[in-house]
Amino acid sequence: MIKNGRKAGKRVEVTEMHMLFQALLGLVVGMIAKFLLPGKDPGGFIVTALLGIVGGWLGGQIGKWLGWYQDGHAAGLGLSIVGAMALLLVYRII
């Protein structure tokens, strides 16, 4: 099946690469957030990656609420880290 001049399989590969890139970027954001908020953190590699991924989403929502981003725009690295730090503080409290 050809869609928009491309085979349908190509779109799946792009989506998988995008998800892999988001996971790696989430891991980096989570590591930076843990570095900036030193202390005892339960959780390891997977928790750090999830913290960064969800922190990026939260940072994007904060940016939209403040009017800095429009729908469909991803959060920048700074707000992603701020979102991850906020999640880390909540995670430590719980």
Side-chain angles (χ1 to χ4, degrees), residues 2-76:
I2 297 178
K3 195 176 199 180
N4 295 331
R6 294 183 179 168
K7 291 184 180 179
K10 283 285 189 185
R11 185 68 181 156
V12 171
E13 291 174 3
V14 170
T15 302
E16 290 171 355
M17 290 300 292
H18 178 74
M19 290 171 55
L20 179 63
F21 179 72
Q22 277 188 317
L24 290 174
L25 189 59
L27 178 63
V28 170
V29 167
M31 288 187 327
I32 292 171
K34 281 189 171 188
F35 176 75
L36 292 175
L37 288 173
K40 186 176 180 183
D41 290 316
F45 176 77
I46 294 175
V47 172
T48 302
L50 289 174
L51 176 77
I53 292 169
V54 177
W57 174 82
L58 182 61
Q61 293 303 314
I62 291 169
K64 287 177 191 174
W65 294 331
L66 294 174
W68 296 348
Y69 299 125
Q70 296 176 355
D71 286 336
H73 290 136

